[in-house]
Amino acid sequence: MATVGKKFPNLSVDAMNEMGDTFKLNVLEEAVKNNKKVLLFWYPKDFTFVCPTELHAFQAALSEFEKRNTIVIGASCDTPEVHFAWLNQSKANGGIEGVTYPLLADSNRNLSSILGILDITNETYDEATGTVQVEGDNVTYRATYLIDEEGTVFHEGINHMPVGRNVNEYLRLIDAYTHVQEKGEVCPANWEEGKEAMQANAKATAEYLAVN
């Protein structure tokens, strides 16, 4: 279910910070109340392999996101307690010690179910037990959402489990969307901060293509 152009779901979810505090976090409210953009990235599981490389990569770029008035939030279906255990494991030992942004703990899978990002390949109803049984790990793909100051999703992307994200691409997307917001121009393919943008009309497109 595509969410681009729509408000992010208005739902409070358990979260954990680096101090070990569990609290409720509403991604939509974080954007609107703070008048900031939000980058929300989901990863499959704590204590795994590609996942810590991504969490450290977003931490390393945190100051760049902050310069762009953007809040970074990580998320998985692990519990807050498991998040905290991983936060207390050193980077050299595969942990995420040093990560300072909050981590959603969507252990009841309410938000990830609404977003449709769970690894469920099939569902069957078992009449004997009266239960729905699923195939798949029932954890999230590597889904990423960029949300603007009004709570509207302006980017959504999903990677399969083995493929890590390029953090710099999200900085580029935030720069491009901010340019659109501030200048009223549109950003062509491969646009980066400092490059030429264009007006959204046929004449401007032709002029841009003539020299690019």
Side-chain angles (χ1 to χ4, degrees):
M1 181 181 68
T3 60
V4 172
K6 302 173 184 176
K7 295 289 186 185
F8 193 80
N10 184 8
L11 188 70
S12 295
V13 180
D14 282 341
M16 169 66 67
N17 63 24
E18 80 276 15
M19 301 300 294
D21 301 318
T22 301
F23 58 99
K24 291 291 185 181
L25 193 153
N26 185 310
V27 175
L28 178 66
E29 288 182 357
E30 287 296 299
V32 175
K33 288 187 176 180
N34 293 300
N35 192 35
K36 292 179 180 289
K37 293 180 176 66
V38 173
L39 181 146
L40 171 66
F41 73 97
W42 295 81
Y43 60 92
K45 300 176 184 177
D46 290 354
F47 294 99
T48 52
F49 319 114
V50 175
C51 297
T53 69
E54 292 193 309
L55 272 80
H56 285 297
F58 279 108
Q59 179 66 36
L62 193 59
S63 63
E64 291 299 319
F65 287 104
E66 290 171 348
K67 288 177 188 175
R68 291 162 172 82
N69 198 41
T70 300
I71 298 167
V72 173
I73 301 171
S76 76
C77 296
D78 297 279
T79 65
E81 292 80 11
V82 174
H83 280 338
F84 191 53
W86 204 24
L87 283 162
N88 278 285
Q89 182 168 303
S90 70
K91 182 179 179 180
N93 197 32
I96 59 167
E97 185 179 29
V99 167
T100 59
Y101 50 80
L103 301 176
L104 293 187
D106 188 36
S107 56
N108 57 19
R109 290 162 170 74
N110 286 342
L111 182 55
S112 49
S113 294
I114 292 171
L115 295 170
I117 57 174
L118 290 166
D119 172 28
I120 298 174
T121 56
N122 191 38
E123 292 181 281
T124 56
Y125 179 73
D126 186 307
E127 292 186 0
T129 60
T131 60
V132 175
Q133 299 182 6
V134 302
E135 296 176 22
D137 288 341
N138 202 22
V139 297
T140 67
Y141 293 108
R142 298 187 193 282
T144 315
Y145 297 87
L146 292 175
I147 302 151
D148 71 15
E149 297 86 349
E150 296 180 351
T152 301
V153 178
F154 66 91
H155 169 82
E156 173 184 25
I158 302 176
N159 289 9
H160 207 340
M161 310 295 190
V163 181
R165 282 162 279 217
N166 183 333
V167 172
N168 287 331
E169 172 62 4
Y170 301 106
L171 294 170
R172 188 195 73 84
L173 287 167
I174 292 167
D175 286 343
Y177 194 74
T178 302
H179 185 92
V180 172
Q181 289 175 310
E182 295 178 351
K183 306 294 185 181
E185 296 180 317
V186 293
C187 297
N190 299 322
W191 183 93
E192 294 176 343
E193 185 64 48
K195 289 188 175 181
E196 179 185 1
M198 60 191 197
Q199 295 297 320
N201 59 61
K203 181 175 182 292
T205 301
E207 290 173 350
Y208 179 87
L209 291 173
V211 295
N212 289 279

